[in-house]
Amino acid sequence: MSAHSVYLEDDCRFEYNREDLVARLGQVLANPEALITNEEALRAYETDGLAAYRQLPVAAVLPDTVEEVQAILRICNELEVPVVARGAGTSLSAGALPHPQGILLSLSRFNRILDVDAERRVARVQPGVRNLAVSEAAAPYGLYYAPDPSSQIACSIGGNVAENAGGVHCLKYGLTIHNVLEVTLVTIDGEVLKIGSEAPDAPGYDMLAAIIGSEGMLGVVVEVAVKLLPEPLTKKVMLAAFPTVEAGGEAVAGIIGDGIIPGGLEMMDNAAIRAAEDFVHAGYPVDAATILICELDGSEAEVAAQCAQVSKLMESYGATEIRIAETPEQAQAFWAGRKAAFPAVGRISPDYYCMDGTIPRKHLSTVLNRMQALSEEYGLRVVNVFHAGDGNLHPLVLYDGNVPGELERTEELGGRILELCVEVGGTVTGEHGVGMEKINQMCAQFSPPELEQFFALKRAFDPKGLLNPGKAIPTLNRCAEFGAMHVHKGELPFPDIERF
């Protein structure tokens, strides 16, 4: 497939002696193989989960210790070299896309679970630990780590912190921000900070909330304390089929409106149903316009009562079929199709572009219908898989990167979908982060004074703008260029900024 870099000239302002940089990095790394400058070897780091965007760094470094991270950052700060931190590289927003004038700092060797305190229900882990590995380590104590992105078998805790990752159970148990107690952070000048606390609260400003979701722009996370939860006493997974997308969307609002907060409440449209069924053979009803997967957990009596209540609600909204998993294997099969939806869609299209926007639940039906209209306008298929309970949409735009202009048309369609989310009172991201993918749509979400406050916070941590530059927060110049191409209702965004 074709791929491109999306850095602007403003993002590439850094000048230094590259030979001097490489020599000094080699002096602070104990393992000579931890410094990579060979172009062929660097190809492994040129992209993340959003493979449409590619860029080689000047070098990649794989430190083993916090002291090495400190030394690397001090060198880069002195020489004014951009630094992009990378976890497992599963980001779907190009958050870990290397900078053409910078180094790629991989945390893959920070992969140890340092402690599991079952009594206090806290685990201390390094940022390279896989998400699923935390729950596996806690399982002998009857505990688990709640955030469970679809990539949990591969994604790292450090990356989850950077993007504020969620998952299918975040409706009831929260995103990463609700399940992290403390992070240890190395700043660009090499200082080590502990932010947050294992206590119920920490004095002063809530800086932990600023760090989580900051996409590596404020510091490099080297340790994380996460909250562990006890496994629910009982779980029941339900699957309901609906004849229309509107009926499924109304059922979601009805369930939440009736005071029920499921452990998970997911929605898939017909294209996603068929792709997942062909891939994992989950037993999905392939003729349904949409399905809901609803997981209820708690005490046995509570779950039984809620199952009956939800079944009646789904019937009242026109469900044509309702199944309740009778065995753990059947429950696992219900979830398997949802968890495998993204790779399943990858089997039916040469390429796909995964979006991530969030809307108020009451607008689900409206937004899905308007997305269908946009799909037809652009001549590109859109497959919908999403966290229906909290309105976090994941439209998958199918395209062929080998067709000239199709990637660019896909990006434009994706931008229109995100702007639609903002229009109905939502946001341009729910859990994938902004990265490079959604940076233009941040201009639609926020005004220039709001964007300046983001930059003011970044300058407090990173005065020279070296950490993951060109990501997440658009410059006013970028917004001006974006606004020049997007005139809405005759009103030009940022009219006071010169067009270039």
Side-chain angles (χ1 to χ4, degrees):
M1 60 171 288
S2 64
H4 58 193
S5 174
V6 285
Y7 284 100
L8 297 182
E9 186 175 342
D10 276 0
D11 304 324
C12 301
R13 62 188 186 280
F14 305 96
E15 296 182 6
Y16 57 90
N17 186 307
R18 295 191 178 190
E19 292 182 358
D20 182 29
L21 168 68
V22 171
R24 292 184 63 178
L25 290 174
Q27 292 170 0
V28 300
L29 293 165
N31 182 353
E33 295 182 355
L35 175 61
I36 301 171
T37 57
N38 176 270
E39 180 177 335
E40 183 178 353
L42 287 174
R43 291 288 173 193
Y45 301 97
E46 69 177 350
T47 187
D48 55 17
L50 183 54
Y53 299 165
R54 298 175 187 268
Q55 179 65 61
L56 285 177
V58 172
V61 289
L62 290 77
D64 286 290
T65 66
V66 173
E67 290 74 22
E68 287 185 342
V69 173
Q70 290 177 274
I72 291 165
L73 292 177
R74 286 178 181 135
I75 291 169
C76 290
N77 187 43
E78 179 186 339
L79 299 180
E80 299 192 8
V81 178
V83 180
V84 176
R86 177 187 173 104
T90 58
S91 168
L92 292 169
S93 62
L97 183 74
H99 191 282
Q101 296 174 324
I103 67 165
L104 191 289
L105 196 164
S106 170
L107 280 303
S108 60
R109 295 183 176 178
F110 282 68
N111 58 5
R112 292 187 299 130
I113 295 176
L114 303 173
D115 181 52
V116 176
D117 189 330
E119 289 187 2
R120 297 170 59 240
R121 297 179 181 172
V122 175
R124 284 196 163 272
V125 304
Q126 292 185 316
V129 170
R130 293 179 302 113
N131 174 289
L132 186 59
V134 180
S135 289
E136 290 172 342
Y141 308 100
L143 304 172
Y144 75 109
Y145 179 59
D148 58 342
S150 294
S151 59
Q152 68 178 150
I153 193 172
C155 67
S156 68
I157 292 296
N160 291 175
V161 168
E163 306 290 9
N164 191 21
V168 299
H169 291 95
C170 64
L171 171 62
K172 186 171 185 176
Y173 295 107
L175 300 161
T176 299
I177 194 170
H178 305 108
N179 291 275
V180 167
L181 301 170
E182 181 183 89
V183 300
T184 302
L185 186 83
V186 182
T187 65
I188 188 63
D189 57 4
E191 184 180 359
V192 177
L193 305 177
K194 284 192 179 294
I195 297 176
S197 170
E198 289 188 22
D201 196 9
Y205 292 122
D206 184 7
M207 294 308 300
L208 186 62
I211 297 301
I212 296 174
S214 61
E215 305 194 28
M217 297 180 67
L218 303 182
V220 176
V221 173
V222 291
E223 188 176 313
V224 185
V226 301
K227 179 168 61 176
L228 301 176
L229 299 179
E231 284 282 0
L233 296 174
T234 305
K235 291 181 185 178
K236 280 289 184 181
V237 182
M238 309 174 66
L239 185 151
F242 292 87
T244 65
V245 171
E246 290 85 356
E250 289 168 2
V252 169
I255 291 168
I256 304 297
D258 217 42
I260 299 171
I261 305 297
L265 186 57
E266 300 290 299
M267 194 169 177
M268 300 168 66
D269 70 7
N270 183 261
I273 294 166
R274 290 179 178 273
E277 180 60 23
D278 287 344
F279 186 35
V280 300
H281 310 295
Y284 286 170
V286 294
D287 293 327
T290 187
I291 61 171
L292 290 182
I293 302 171
C294 177
E295 181 174 287
L296 301 166
D297 60 24
S299 68
E300 189 169 341
E302 179 186 13
V303 170
Q306 288 188 345
C307 278
Q309 187 179 356
V310 170
S311 293
K312 287 182 179 179
L313 280 167
M314 288 177 170
E315 288 175 358
S316 71
Y317 286 102
T320 56
E321 182 181 0
I322 298 173
R323 305 178 195 169
I324 300 178
E326 299 298 335
T327 65
E329 292 75 19
Q330 192 177 9
Q332 187 176 9
F334 286 176
W335 278 123
R338 168 60 186 89
K339 288 277 189 176
F342 290 2
V345 169
R347 298 171 73 242
I348 65 173
S349 175
D351 301 291
Y352 70 81
Y353 192 63
C354 178
M355 306 304 299
D356 166 52
T358 303
I359 62 172
R361 284 186 297 267
K362 64 182 179 181
H363 293 305
L364 269 177
S365 298
T366 300
V367 169
L368 290 173
N369 284 329
R370 289 181 61 181
M371 276 199 292
Q372 178 59 34
L374 287 170
S375 170
E376 293 170 3
E377 177 184 338
Y378 281 83
L380 296 166
R381 292 178 63 197
V382 176
V383 177
N384 285 292
V385 182
F386 53 93
H387 310 309
D390 57 6
N392 186 190
L393 308 179
H394 292 314
L396 305 174
V397 183
L398 311 188
Y399 73 101
D400 186 346
N402 293 311
V403 176
E406 194 153 301
L407 170 58
E408 289 74 18
R409 202 162 84 253
T410 298
E411 290 178 303
E412 185 177 333
L413 170 56
R416 294 277 300 278
I417 290 172
L418 294 177
E419 289 162 32
L420 170 60
C421 292
V422 174
E423 181 185 324
V424 300
T427 69
V428 299
T429 183
E431 57 177 345
H432 293 176
V434 175
M436 191 65 82
E437 174 214 8
K438 307 182 187 75
I439 193 166
N440 286 337
Q441 280 64 46
M442 286 285 282
C443 302
Q445 178 98 53
F446 297 103
S447 67
E450 290 169 325
L451 293 173
E452 173 53 31
Q453 291 306 308
F454 285 129
F455 278 115
L457 176 63
K458 178 168 174 58
R459 285 193 295 269
F461 281 84
D462 178 21
K464 299 176 184 177
L466 300 176
L467 293 171
N468 218 4
K471 308 269 184 65
I473 309 169
T475 63
L476 296 187
N477 282 351
R478 177 184 278 273
C479 287
E481 293 189 17
F482 176 69
M485 296 183 293
H486 293 73
V487 180
H488 298 287
K489 298 179 180 179
E491 181 180 345
L492 189 66
F494 307 97
D496 54 326
I497 300 176
E498 180 183 358
R499 264 58 188 171
F500 299 93

